[in-house]
Amino acid sequence: MINRVKIHFDQEREYVPLEAVRVLPEFFKQMMSGNGLFLKGYDSQVKVKFKGERPDGAHIWELETMPEMIETIFTIQATPSFHVEIDYEIQNQKDNLLLGKAIDRRQTYTTRQDQRNEKVRGNVVASNFLIAKTNIDFSKLTGVSSQVILSDIQRTVLKNYPQSKVVFISASIHSDEIDLMKEHKKPIFVLDTETFESFNTDEVFDPKKTFEDEFLLDDKVLEYKKKKIGSYIYYPLFIQMKEMHFFAYLSLETERTRIPSEVLDLFKEVERTFQERIMDSNTHILDIKQNVLNVSRGGVALEVNDMEIIKALKVKPTFTLDINFKLQAPIRMAVELRHLEEVNDFYRLGGRITGVSGDKKAKEIYHSLIEFFN
């Protein structure tokens, strides 16, 4: 039985409208004689054939195998070198034929630089996973070490804004702004406290309407006037574990109006750097073996059946592992998670290789082993 896969993580590709293929039927015919066309989103490849276009523009598709469930929208995909996806709204289904009207078509910016080698399956395994701990004591995680890390980052990243601060949340600290950041998980960036104009972006929460609805706006304007604060930015810091923990926020308050927008980008960099450092200091080695599905010069796909790895990737989507080719020394590499999907009783993991341990020769050995299995 062919079933839909459940997507747990998918790093978004950058798509553009499908301009390279102006006449879809011609493209479909080329792909059927080349790399093939497939139905997206199932645990086994479902090859499809383009059977024609009706006068109303609907397309007829023949599936070599009919999955258990076809939803109201289905997607045909192909990868000649760039990746192509065409979404269809289903109009009719009979036996193994689908009739659909194309509602969106797109392609990736980037092209695949090298092919995946699937001949390694059964001959290559992954082991010694360095992954995030999932049973961390949160009070220890946000203790002295995190304060030292944040202070160091503040000195380097925010050196041009020495008046910025890191405020650690405690049970005794309460404010309307803290509650709003915790609820919406977004920073507050007010450019002018007299008008309560916020920096205009979806990444920032605008508190003005909330304060108006709760009849607090006039009090807030007066509060900041008394404090001689003309503009401020509060940026919440969360640690992603089993759930999001709000433990501190970055702040910058100025007497003048309109803090420059570059501060928002700097605060983002502080958050990103802190997350990397704090999670890198809370990892452990999991000495188990998992099957390698395919490899390429730039990536690796694994069949994962250990739930500790899955839990860790949801906390920190980067890890290191050993790739073990038969009769060869293990090759240690760092991997960034690109997608994670649940397929029946295991998970299919795809990752981008961000580094190979050792000198230049280690990477050359890895590339030569890939070619050896072709």
Side-chain angles (χ1 to χ4, degrees):
M1 183 185 296
I2 298 173
N3 300 305
R4 288 194 67 84
V5 298
K6 183 179 179 182
I7 305 297
H8 288 268
F9 183 92
D10 196 14
Q11 192 172 77
E12 288 189 11
R13 288 174 162 146
E14 293 187 43
Y15 285 102
V16 292
L18 186 53
E19 301 293 346
V21 185
R22 297 186 182 277
V23 184
L24 284 176
E26 291 301 318
F27 171 70
F28 294 151
K29 290 172 186 176
Q30 291 171 12
M31 290 308 303
M32 283 191 294
S33 61
N35 292 358
L37 294 158
F38 301 91
L39 188 66
K40 181 183 178 182
Y42 291 86
D43 57 7
S44 300
Q45 280 193 342
V46 180
K47 200 164 187 177
V48 299
K49 291 181 181 178
F50 176 69
K51 302 299 288 184
E53 183 174 24
R54 296 202 327 181
D56 62 357
H59 292 161
I60 304 167
W61 293 97
E62 181 183 24
L63 282 61
E64 66 175 3
T65 305
M66 183 60 70
E68 182 69 16
M69 178 182 65
I70 295 287
E71 297 178 348
T72 56
I73 304 295
F74 66 93
T75 300
I76 302 297
Q77 64 181 10
T79 310
S81 57
F82 52 93
H83 183 75
V84 173
E85 293 185 357
I86 302 100
D87 294 335
Y88 284 89
E89 184 175 12
I90 191 167
Q91 295 183 321
N92 200 2
Q93 176 183 346
K94 185 177 180 181
D95 298 328
N96 63 334
L97 295 176
L98 290 178
L99 178 68
K101 197 71 176 279
I103 55 177
D104 187 39
R105 57 188 202 173
R106 55 197 175 271
Q107 70 179 73
T108 54
Y109 279 105
T110 55
T111 59
R112 184 176 297 284
Q113 299 298 316
D114 54 317
Q115 294 298 313
R116 294 174 177 148
N117 182 341
E118 298 188 354
K119 294 180 181 178
V120 297
R121 188 168 186 172
N123 296 302
V124 180
V125 296
S127 64
N128 289 326
F129 290 78
L130 180 64
I131 56 175
K133 293 178 181 177
T134 56
N135 58 345
I136 305 171
D137 183 337
F138 181 70
S139 62
K140 292 180 180 178
L141 185 65
T142 56
V144 175
S145 61
S146 65
Q147 296 183 36
V148 171
I149 291 171
L150 275 173
S151 297
D152 178 61
I153 295 170
Q154 189 179 18
R155 280 195 301 271
T156 54
V157 180
L158 298 172
K159 58 186 176 183
N160 294 328
Y161 295 93
Q163 67 272 45
S164 62
K165 296 183 292 185
V166 179
V167 181
F168 288 89
I169 304 297
S170 69
S172 60
I173 296 180
H174 293 283
S175 76
D176 298 313
E177 289 79 3
I178 288 175
D179 290 342
L180 289 173
M181 286 191 290
K182 185 175 183 178
E183 179 183 353
H184 297 281
K185 297 180 173 56
K186 288 183 177 182
I188 296 174
F189 189 177
V190 175
L191 298 172
D192 187 339
T193 57
E194 284 193 10
T195 62
F196 253 79
E197 176 192 355
S198 282
F199 186 72
N200 188 19
T201 173
D202 290 339
E203 297 176 274
V204 167
F205 177 73
D206 183 352
K208 185 174 182 177
K209 187 176 186 307
T210 301
F211 290 154
E212 284 177 333
D213 291 346
E214 296 178 0
F215 303 102
L216 291 174
L217 185 59
D218 290 341
D219 292 339
K220 286 294 176 182
V221 171
L222 185 60
E223 175 187 336
Y224 286 105
K225 188 174 182 179
K226 285 181 178 178
K227 291 179 178 178
K228 295 184 179 180
I229 297 173
S231 180
Y232 68 88
I233 176 172
Y234 301 149
Y235 194 103
L237 294 176
F238 290 88
I239 290 181
Q240 174 68 60
M241 296 171 62
K242 291 181 180 178
E243 56 188 36
M244 296 284 279
H245 290 271
F246 180 30
F247 74 99
Y249 66 92
L250 306 170
S251 81
L252 178 61
E253 302 167 340
T254 66
E255 190 170 345
R256 67 183 188 280
T257 59
R258 297 190 178 274
I259 292 172
S261 60
E262 70 175 33
V263 175
L264 181 62
D265 293 327
L266 287 172
F267 280 6
K268 286 181 195 173
E269 186 178 346
V270 170
E271 178 188 37
R272 184 171 56 252
T273 306
F274 173 75
Q275 289 280 1
E276 289 173 357
R277 290 196 192 177
I278 198 72
M279 296 315 297
D280 284 347
S281 65
N282 288 278
T283 56
H284 69 125
I285 290 280
L286 194 61
D287 186 14
I288 61 167
K289 290 182 171 62
Q290 302 286 275
N291 291 327
V292 175
L293 298 175
N294 63 63
V295 292
S296 68
R297 286 173 172 252
V300 59
L302 308 176
E303 178 185 298
V304 177
N305 53 34
D306 186 273
M307 285 308 299
E308 183 64 22
I309 296 175
I310 302 304
K311 290 176 185 175
L313 291 176
K314 292 179 180 180
V315 171
K316 180 175 180 281
T318 58
F319 58 102
T320 60
L321 76 166
D322 287 342
I323 295 292
N324 301 271
F325 291 84
K326 285 186 177 179
L327 305 178
Q328 300 291 327
I331 297 174
R332 190 79 180 160
M333 59 178 60
V335 178
E336 176 190 28
L337 183 65
R338 297 303 296 270
H339 67 263
L340 179 65
E341 54 193 26
E342 190 174 349
V343 185
N344 298 327
D345 58 348
F346 69 93
Y347 290 78
R348 192 158 53 201
L349 177 160
R352 181 174 69 91
I353 299 170
T354 57
V356 177
S357 293
D359 54 19
K360 184 180 177 182
K361 191 175 179 182
K363 187 176 288 187
E364 291 174 352
I365 291 172
Y366 171 64
H367 292 166
S368 67
L369 288 169
I370 294 174
E371 292 169 6
F372 174 77
F373 277 92
N374 274 325

